Amino acid sequence: MINNLIKVLPKTELHLHIEGSLEPELMMELATKNGISLPYETVDEVRQAYQFDNLQSFLDLYYLGAASLVTEDDFYQLMWRYLVRCKEQNIVHCEVMFDPQTHTQRGIEFEVFMEGFVRAIDQAKSEWGQSCYLIMSFLRHLSEQHALETLAAAQPYLSQITAVGLDSSELGNPPEKFARVFAAAKRAGLKTTAHAGEEGPPDYIWQALDILEVDRIDHGVRSIEDSILMQRLAEDKITLTVCPLSNIKLCVFDDMQQHTIMDMLRQGARVMVNSDDPSYFGGYLNENYLQLHETFDLSVDDLSLLVKNSFHGSFLPDSEIQHWLSQVDQVIDNH
Ligand code: ADE
Ligand code: ZN
């Protein structure tokens, strides 16, 4: 019964890297078309390579795969396929991260990926009313200067971008490194989020809150190590975009039983569920909820709280959040 409720509830996804939704089939097809050489002969070989020890071992493969994306239509195909998944999984609103530097560093112009993304988003909106915001994420292993240049290059597209984010190799690249670019993004009217406390210590979460002044935190699972931080997150209603399957695949926790998402929820943190890089981590959003249910035997109230948190944490206008919260109640009542 909960399994079915998971599927039919309207949901949001707030932590999804579009490059991480690149399925091996599309990766191989585009690499062949574009004459990009990959160290794999078959789709099965690509899948077999998806064994990770930590975040970096995943990122190495993720950047390799992203190199198969070259033309406007490649980026359109990538975004379109994810938005079709949203329709199938009742993800009524999504906030999708993209990494411009992953592409500009290979000589792909901003307009190439932006036009592909926006074409798919506009089509999904007109075909079935899909709501989708874009989050431009800076690569933290690169310099702040490079991030500032990326923000400047994004200027003509800012009306199509809702927020900035911070991702890639966390350890050794603390949020404070990006203080000036986040301040500039805020001045430009953008919302902000940052990966913090995925592999990095609670101090990185404090920095994201107090130095970058982010609107929400991506992952943040290591906040449970710091009780004062947990209080702060609860008091300020900071959303944590938690990604259960990702955390298992990247060895943040040994297995789902060890995952602390339900402890964090019980301690009052506004946690919600996401897929992060679904093609690499073995499941889209519903599979993340289903695995949580299999492990923690979620009650209807647990599920309702997680799904409502997903709307509260979104950058949607208040009126739309209220609309979806009442839809969630209605679907639960009718179930
Ligand atoms: N880029 C794509 N997925 C990521 C993750 N889980 N953490 C940091 N950077 C990422
Ligand atoms: Zn992520």
Side-chain angles (χ1 to χ4, degrees), residues 160-180:
Q160 280 146 340
I161 296 172
T162 301
V164 295
L166 186 64
D167 62 9
S168 192
S169 320
E170 187 181 10
L171 288 168
N173 295 297
E176 65 183 353
K177 177 177 163 187
F178 296 92
R180 287 181 311 155

Side-chain angles (χ1 to χ4, degrees), residues 36-154:
I36 306 285
S37 76
L38 293 174
Y40 314 105
E41 296 290 333
T42 63
V43 165
D44 280 348
E45 276 184 39
V46 181
R47 282 228 163 76
Q48 274 158 25
Y50 291 179
Q51 315 280 348
F52 312 115
D53 306 320
N54 52 30
L55 174 58
Q56 193 59 49
S57 62
F58 153 69
L59 289 171
D60 293 343
L61 213 70
Y62 165 92
Y63 295 125
L64 188 87
S68 63
L69 298 156
V70 176
T71 67
E72 185 265 2
D73 196 62
D74 298 348
F75 290 96
Y76 162 83
Q77 289 293 340
L78 181 68
M79 183 63 80
W80 178 250
R81 286 168 196 225
Y82 170 65
L83 295 173
V84 169
R85 296 273 186 171
C86 288
K87 181 166 74 150
E88 291 166 356
Q89 298 213 338
N90 280 315
I91 301 170
V92 294
H93 171 70
C94 54
E95 300 185 359
V96 172
M97 280 179 249
F98 67 104
D99 294 337
Q101 291 154 297
T102 296
H103 312 302
T104 53
Q105 279 207 314
R106 302 181 286 121
I108 312 252
E109 303 284 344
F110 233 93
E111 63 175 330
V112 174
F113 48 85
M114 283 306 294
E115 284 179 11
F117 291 154
V118 170
R119 179 156 68 92
I121 292 168
D122 286 349
Q123 187 180 340
K125 189 176 181 65
S126 76
E127 284 193 19
W128 66 86
Q130 182 66 44
S131 168
C132 176
Y133 291 171
L134 285 173
I135 302 175
M136 176 170 75
S137 245
F138 302 117
L139 299 181
R140 68 199 308 156
H141 66 273
L142 301 177
S143 67
E144 187 186 46
Q145 185 55 36
H146 205 286
L148 284 162
E149 287 162 14
T150 302
L151 182 61

Side-chain angles (χ1 to χ4, degrees), residues 259-290:
H259 205 291
T260 52
I261 182 170
M262 298 311 288
D263 300 324
M264 295 171 80
L265 189 70
R266 308 263 184 264
Q267 289 183 35
R270 189 192 268 173
V271 295
M272 42 76 69
V273 179
N274 306 270
S275 68
D276 204 4
D277 301 282
S279 152
Y280 292 87
F281 300 151
Y284 285 78
L285 182 59
N286 285 354
E287 287 72 46
N288 275 268
Y289 277 105
L290 289 165

Side-chain angles (χ1 to χ4, degrees), residues 208-252:
L209 294 173
D210 290 338
I211 300 177
L212 304 189
E213 299 183 354
V214 291
D215 296 301
R216 63 184 187 226
I217 297 280
D218 294 317
H219 294 294
V221 289
R222 288 196 59 192
S223 49
I224 199 141
E225 297 168 26
D226 179 339
S227 58
I228 299 174
L229 177 57
M230 287 299 290
Q231 266 174 31
R232 163 80 181 274
L233 294 169
E235 270 167 29
D236 288 358
K237 297 188 169 69
I238 305 288
T239 299
L240 304 176
T241 67
V242 176
C243 309
L245 284 173
S246 162
N247 293 150
I248 307 310
K249 269 291 210 184
L250 301 188
C251 308
V252 173

